[in-house]
């Protein structure tokens, strides 16, 4: 299964002529190429599919999507290689 997972852009850099970012998926950080989302900036939320940010989303949409994905046993772990941390108690979703 291939999923597009929302995450927050933490930092930008260039690698081999490509615009890259560190993206935080609710506590799990991975690198993503921003070639398809050239306007993405630190603090923005992007949907990442197979290592490429394919679109931007607002924070609320990112949070709702992560909540649904957390409920799908094993879906995130299969994509990121580890499960997403659970949101802090009492925050009903927490920040992605």
């Amino acid at each position: 299964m291939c999923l597009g997972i929302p995450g927050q852009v933490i930092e930008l850099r260039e690698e081999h002529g490509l615009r890259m970012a560190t993206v935080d998926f609710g506590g799990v950080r991975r690198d993503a190429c921003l070639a398809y989302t050239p306007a993405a900036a630190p603090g923005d939320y992007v949907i990442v599919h197979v290592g490429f940010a394919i679109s931007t989303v607002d924070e609320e949409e990112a949070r709702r999507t992560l909540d649904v994905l957390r409920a799908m046993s094993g879906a995130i772990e299969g994509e990121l290689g580890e499960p997403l941390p659970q949101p802090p108690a009492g925050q009903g979703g927490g920040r992605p």
Side-chain angles (χ1 to χ4, degrees):
M1 174 188 311
C2 292
L3 299 172
I5 303 175
Q8 185 177 31
V9 175
I10 302 300
E11 64 182 14
L12 302 175
R13 65 186 174 284
E14 189 170 313
E15 288 183 16
H16 308 290
L18 292 173
R19 192 164 178 258
M20 300 292 292
T22 299
V23 179
D24 186 287
F25 300 95
V28 175
R29 290 186 177 190
R30 296 287 184 262
D31 292 333
C33 178
L34 299 181
Y36 302 128
T37 54
D44 290 346
Y45 290 83
V46 292
I47 300 292
V48 177
H49 176 68
V50 294
F52 289 85
I54 58 174
S55 66
T56 57
V57 293
D58 64 41
E59 182 178 357
E60 185 58 33
E61 180 63 24
R63 180 178 294 120
R64 282 194 307 264
T65 301
L66 281 173
D67 287 345
V68 168
L69 292 172
R70 279 187 181 97
M72 297 170 58
S73 178
I76 297 293
E77 189 170 354
E79 290 297 310
L80 297 177
E82 60 184 280
L84 285 176
Q86 290 300 314
Q91 288 197 353
R95 289 188 62 99

